[in-house]
Amino acid sequence: MHVDMDAFYAAVEVRDNPKLVGKPLIIGALPSERGVVATCSYEARKFGVHSAMSIKEAYRLCPNGIYMHPNSHKYKEASDKIHEIWDVYTDLVEYVSLDEGYLDLAGSVNLFGGAKKIAHEIKERIKNEVGLTCSVGIGYSKMSAKLASEEKKPNGFFEIPSAEFLKNLIINRDIRVLHGVGKKTANELHSFGIKTVHDIYDKSELVIDILGNNGRQIVEFAKGIDNRKVTPFADAKSIGTEQTFQKDITNFQFLKDNLVLMANDLSFDIQRKGIFAQTVTLKITYADMKQITRSKTGETINYAEDIFKTANELLNKIERHAIRLIGISLSNLSSSECRQITFEDTYKTENKEKLNDVMFKLKQKYGVDSIKNANVLDVQKRLNKEEK
Ligand code: TTP
Ligand code: MG
């Protein structure tokens, strides 16, 4: 099963402000600012506005739209609740992004009365408990499930039960419909006159000649063959979060404050899954678009303060030019902690564990914002001021 929320960021804003219902709403930046559209409501899509378009272009198409900055924290909180609902139905969930995921139901489908029933229950629960709509697709493979969820968007449900069914559905569509065919690959194939999925069957040898192994994979996808497995979070290679700024940042305190919040989010995420990380990677994109990453591998950790400490150490070592994006990712993930505890720090460690445990349980029960360390409150205050 593939689940994808409808107009996710925009839908969260509409949920929280009834005045926005039915309006063209564009999330990203204000018309006077530089920036791109993160997403927009379906009303705004009628004007041709879409994700990744510049705000300037969006404003030209839709001057009467309502423009807003994203509120990442709110989307994360909604996402956590949504992920928890998915978790009820199987422990094989691959979270693709905040609003999208694959559920492998092979082992649990009978337990819950069938895939269709699960799909409707998930839609119902997300509507009632989170106040949002989503589109659900059922398939026999990842690609078919994803295509099924896109088929009847928004608030849709569709099933693609077999390769034969999939082939008939997409045969006359543009090759972009296939997993792995992005803009660049599509342009390349278009220049050889390969435009539809049908053309891929007809000219499969040519596709393989042009694209090599990648072409072989695309031909398989066109035939409906897709053996990719749903990879649960615990088996993931890394987990990360990043933040792009509206304006380039030279204030390192501001960057540090952002790292504190990101470390908190990541920490909660991995604790929820019982995961520890050994490597922390800091990702930076400078104002001139130059990208760097810096990593440090040490003890297995999952506390926010440990993640922050390592990320901050890495930040202190980089060149200090204006920065456009900052991110942290965690890798070398495992489900158990293995570290040396010296006799001296046993007492300190025990208290830290108790505190962490209580805070984690409160967050799980009442939401990520229900309890915070004083330092996080300070940081949030500072960041709010900075934004004003
Ligand atoms: P999507 O699922 O691609 O888009 P959506 O949920 O807004 O709309 P729909 O699925 O109904 O077509 O992305 C989920 C969220 O991710 C989206 O609400 C905002 C964010 N996002 C960006 O910030 N930038 C992007 O370029 C894209 C595609 C998404
Ligand atoms: Mg979506």
Side-chain angles (χ1 to χ4, degrees):
M1 177 178 293
H2 180 261
V3 188
D4 189 293
M5 303 305 296
D6 302 320
F8 183 49
Y9 293 4
V12 173
E13 300 299 343
V14 174
R15 175 196 71 183
D16 295 347
N17 181 358
K19 285 193 189 129
L20 298 173
V21 174
K23 302 260 167 63
L25 173 65
I26 294 105
I27 310 288
L30 305 182
S32 58
E33 295 168 336
R34 152 185 112 175
V36 291
V37 176
T39 193
C40 59
S41 63
Y42 277 75
E43 289 81 359
R45 293 181 198 197
K46 288 187 198 138
F47 294 87
V49 181
H50 58 75
S51 293
M53 170 183 275
S54 77
I55 285 291
K56 223 170 124 194
E57 174 69 359
Y59 188 64
R60 200 182 59 75
L61 294 169
C62 189
N64 294 322
I66 299 167
Y67 291 78
M68 282 178 73
H69 287 145
N71 287 302
S72 319
H73 226 71
K74 262 175 39 173
Y75 314 143
K76 178 72 174 63
E77 196 168 343
S79 172
D80 284 340
K81 287 190 192 145
I82 293 160
H83 289 181
E84 268 170 34
I85 293 172
W86 298 347
D87 288 347
V88 169
Y89 297 92
T90 169
D91 51 4
L92 295 177
V93 181
E94 178 176 334
Y95 311 114
V96 178
S97 65
L98 287 187
D99 90 318
E100 176 188 349
Y102 291 99
L103 284 69
D104 182 340
L105 298 173
S108 57
V109 67
N110 292 330
L111 206 64
F112 292 100
K116 225 179 250 177
K117 184 147 177 273
I118 298 177
H120 286 106
E121 248 178 70
I122 285 180
K123 281 172 71 83
E124 196 65 20
R125 286 190 63 173
I126 294 181
K127 182 79 203 144
N128 294 339
E129 294 168 34
V130 200
L132 299 171
T133 66
C134 62
S135 297
V136 178
I138 297 176
Y140 63 92
S141 66
K142 283 174 94 169
M143 193 178 81
S144 59
K146 185 168 163 80
L147 288 176
S149 81
E150 284 163 5
E151 198 58 28
K152 302 278 178 204
K153 237 177 191 311
N155 199 9
F157 169 77
F158 196 66
E159 187 172 357
I160 299 180
S162 66
E164 207 45 44
F165 190 103
L166 177 72
K167 265 164 68 178
N168 289 332
L169 185 73
I170 63 173
I171 186 146
N172 291 318
R173 293 194 188 170
D174 188 283
I175 50 179
R176 285 288 297 269
V177 73
L178 297 172
H179 179 79
V181 182
K183 206 169 173 179
K184 203 171 138 232
T185 308
N187 285 342
E188 205 170 349
L189 292 176
H190 281 175
S191 71
F192 287 89
I194 299 166
K195 296 210 159 74
T196 64
V197 176
H198 194 271
D199 296 335
I200 293 195
Y201 299 139
D202 273 358
K203 300 179 180 159
S204 53
E205 289 303 317
L206 179 60
V207 173
I208 294 167
D209 277 350
I210 302 167
L211 300 171
N213 269 340
N214 193 18
R216 229 175 290 273
Q217 177 79 102
I218 287 167
V219 171
E220 298 251 287
F221 285 150
K223 290 181 183 157
I225 302 167
D226 173 12
N227 296 319
R228 289 174 303 144
K229 286 203 162 40
V230 173
T231 313
F233 198 54
D235 300 343
K237 296 233 162 18
S238 72
I239 152 152
T241 179
E242 58 186 47
Q243 171 104 31
T244 309
F245 301 113
Q246 291 295 330
K247 48 181 197 253
D248 300 329
I249 304 296
T250 45
N251 174 353
F252 267 61
Q253 184 58 47
F254 180 79
L255 294 173
K256 275 181 197 181
D257 286 349
N258 274 283
L259 285 186
V260 169
L261 299 188
M262 284 193 247
N264 265 277
D265 282 349
L266 281 176
S267 165
F268 182 63
D269 255 0
I270 62 174
Q271 288 191 29
R272 219 153 46 95
K273 294 286 158 185
I275 291 175
F276 296 84
Q278 231 184 322
T279 302
V280 176
T281 301
L282 178 75
K283 174 176 157 190
I284 297 283
T285 306
Y286 286 106
D288 62 4
M289 295 312 276
K290 186 181 151 201
Q291 220 183 69
I292 59 161
T293 56
R294 298 284 179 270
S295 298
K296 188 177 172 192
T297 300
E299 284 182 351
T300 53
I301 53 176
N302 70 353
Y303 291 159
E305 61 174 282
D306 294 332
I307 297 170
F308 168 72
K309 219 174 97 195
T310 313
N312 189 38
E313 250 174 61
L314 295 166
L315 180 69
N316 283 332
K317 286 190 208 147
I318 65 159
E319 280 183 46
R320 301 201 162 200
H321 316 299
I323 282 173
R324 186 188 168 87
L325 172 150
I326 189 164
I328 308 179
S329 74
L330 305 173
S331 52
N332 274 319
L333 306 176
S334 59
S335 52
S336 64
E337 184 178 22
C338 66
R339 65 189 186 107
Q340 289 219 289
I341 300 174
T342 58
F343 184 69
E344 284 85 345
D345 67 17
T346 308
Y347 176 71
K348 226 171 99 193
T349 308
E350 261 179 21
N351 273 338
K352 213 164 116 181
E353 270 171 15
K354 270 189 211 150
L355 176 63
N356 179 74
D357 198 43
V358 171
M359 286 185 61
F360 176 71
K361 284 189 181 135
L362 283 168
K363 283 182 183 181
Q364 256 194 326
K365 191 151 181 199
Y366 300 108
V368 276
D369 280 331
S370 59
I371 183 162
K372 284 179 186 140
N373 284 102
N375 77 319
V376 172
L377 281 179
D378 283 346
V379 160
Q380 281 181 331
K381 254 191 231 152
R382 268 207 301 275
L383 287 177
N384 282 340
K385 242 192 235 155
E386 184 83 17
E387 271 164 21
K388 276 178 196 142

